Amino acid sequence: MTTNRPLDLYDIQGNICKGYGRFGFPKARYFFLEFHHPKRAQHFLKQLVPLITTAERWAHKDHPAPEEKPTITTNIGFTFSGLQALELPELSLRGFPVEFQMGMRERKAILGDDGPSDPQHWDPVWQGEHVHAWVSINAQNEEALQQHYLKIEQLISESQSGVSIRPGHKGPNGELLPYQDASAVYENGKPGPKEHFGFTDGIGNPYFEGCGNDLSRLPGRGKLTRDGNWVPLATGEFILGHVDEAQEYPPAPTPKLLALNGTFMVYRKLHENVKTFQDYVDNLAKDFDGSKELLMAKFAGRWADNGAPLVLAPDDRSKAELDKTLAELTTQANNGDQCAAGQLKALKQKWIDFTYDDDKSGAKCPVGAHIRRTNTRGSLETEKEAFNSKGALVDRRRLMRRGLPYGGHDELTDDNSEQGIIFMCIGASIERQFEFVQQQWVNYSNDFKLGNDKDVFLGNHNGQLTDKAIIQAEPGSGKAPFFCTHLPRFVETRGGDYFFIPSITALEMIAQGIVDPA
């Protein structure tokens, strides 16, 4: 257990500790600022600071808290060029990690952004080094979103040309927009957790010390101990100025107050080639020993319709039984049966609280499945007690997922239509966390003993014979593994960058021009 002190949630920006979608904010707008005059930009930031949403706990029916949930949220982050434009002292600037200073475009070789994902093909907003700040609005509805956007737009117009919104986001009909809208995918008029390939998304975000979330969310989201329990990850894995899993403070700029309670965020616009994905699955399913839905689940590690993990229901028969049990318990619980309600809660807990201990071969969940690559849950300890803890190789690679789907409509069949995910992840080290996972676990498989195989969804495939994935068979079953070859590129990068999300204290220092590294 680490020794972090309690967090000052009023000093931490809210998007670090809260995934707003889970709190009832299905709509979002992201827009990017360019600073033209440092003093005028600082004055604009002074006006913006009171609007920034912090990580304070909101009142809940089970957890009374002093703050009511707002109707909208606002957060901000800066690129390295943005901090330069604000004229932060050179000594402070050079204290930022190299990958942040370089920015996402310059890290394309590490990230696998080649071919159609090469930065030369990104949306116009990302061409050049003019993106200085990211501003996000999350809202409970479209009306609140638009009203708040107009409020911030007014502040920008009062900056005397010191700040402008950088346009150039490719919209649904090919037009260029001044902002990027995002939204949960709606089903039957209600926002749901699915993305455009049809999978339930965003189930397993990490739990860290002091995050403010209920302890009931810890199992399956923290770090795995030798005895099979879960404990919170160290705060320093996600927030600067606090001890991380190595019992060290993450590298950060000076002065200390500039970094304390801040963090880094990765923003990526990921286009989903929905028709290519559907066609590939339809064709491959003809030769697969199981349903099309099972084949899709083998890619992801979870069933698309409700997110149930394959370790819980590894084939069509067990999935049908699980769905039946789920439906029966739901009906009984809705009729007031408290026992059934308890059983239902315990069953749903298994969606996140699981390991691969009894599936080392990958016969249930393929070793190269998406969720097994991005959160290995101790499965990389292939020799008994090889490390101090089962999760030693993943505890420092965890990603705090944020973001929402964008674009799309009810009947998606065209790769050229605009739909995908605004992927955002938060961590104290972009290089150690996001870039490592993207390079070593998404686009490479040495740690999984799968050679050069890549993640089915996110891998930078090119449709060649060697662009493959393997679905392992049960050892001793006499069945052969199933090879998925000629994988096309299902996801293409359309833009992005690295951002520093300062604390409220640091944001005020930046706005007042009083950052002093001496």
Side-chain angles (χ1 to χ4, degrees), residues 270-471:
L270 300 178
H271 174 80
E272 293 181 317
N273 289 319
V274 175
K275 185 175 187 306
T276 296
F277 178 74
Q278 291 174 341
D279 289 348
Y280 184 84
V281 172
D282 286 342
N283 288 328
L284 199 66
K286 297 172 185 174
D287 300 319
F288 181 62
D289 183 18
S291 67
K292 170 185 170 182
E293 289 74 23
L294 177 60
L295 176 61
M296 291 173 61
K298 292 289 185 180
F299 291 165
R302 292 185 184 276
W303 291 84
D305 61 342
N306 60 11
L310 279 173
V311 294
L312 185 61
D315 51 40
D316 290 309
R317 180 190 55 78
S318 57
K319 176 59 163 47
E321 293 174 355
L322 176 65
D323 286 348
K324 181 181 178 184
T325 301
L326 195 63
E328 290 174 350
L329 289 176
T330 300
T331 299
Q332 294 168 20
N334 289 340
N335 290 331
D337 187 332
Q338 294 302 310
C339 179
Q343 291 177 314
L344 180 62
K345 183 179 180 180
L347 179 59
K348 288 187 173 179
Q349 184 63 37
K350 294 180 181 179
W351 259 237
I352 184 65
D353 186 5
F354 64 88
T355 69
Y356 302 108
D357 286 357
D358 63 348
D359 186 34
K360 296 186 183 303
S361 68
K364 294 180 179 177
C365 179
V367 176
H370 176 70
I371 68 166
R372 194 160 175 166
R373 285 175 179 269
T374 53
N375 183 2
T376 61
R377 296 174 182 265
S379 61
L380 291 181
E381 189 186 52
T382 54
E383 296 181 16
K384 188 176 181 180
E385 300 190 1
F387 310 114
N388 290 333
S389 65
K390 292 185 67 174
L393 295 184
V394 70
D395 293 342
R396 308 211 68 205
R397 315 292 185 189
R398 300 295 299 279
L399 305 177
M400 186 72 73
R401 284 277 310 276
R402 296 292 182 253
L404 284 168
Y406 73 90
H409 46 81
D410 293 337
E411 296 181 3
L412 297 170
T413 56
D414 188 353
D415 290 348
N416 293 322
S417 56
E418 282 294 309
Q419 68 274 322
I421 290 177
I422 299 300
F423 171 90
M424 296 186 287
C425 73
I426 286 169
S429 171
I430 293 171
E431 180 185 38
R432 174 168 53 79
Q433 294 168 303
F434 167 71
E435 289 189 343
F436 177 92
V437 171
Q438 181 73 15
Q439 182 186 43
Q440 296 295 321
W441 289 355
V442 168
N443 278 321
Y444 194 47
S445 289
N446 194 46
D447 285 349
F448 309 112
K449 303 185 187 305
L450 294 174
N452 293 324
D453 287 3
K454 303 169 184 175
D455 184 285
V456 169
F457 299 101
L458 298 178
N460 55 351
H461 299 110
N462 293 305
Q464 303 299 310
L465 176 64
T466 52
D467 290 319
K468 65 175 176 52
I470 302 173
I471 297 176

Side-chain angles (χ1 to χ4, degrees), residues 176-210:
L176 295 179
L177 302 173
Y179 46 73
Q180 177 67 59
D181 277 345
S183 171
V185 175
Y186 279 64
E187 290 183 312
N188 300 319
K190 295 182 179 179
K194 291 187 178 180
E195 47 70 62
H196 295 299
F197 286 147
F199 287 90
T200 300
D201 197 19
I203 296 177
N205 265 321
Y207 189 107
F208 64 89
E209 288 182 68

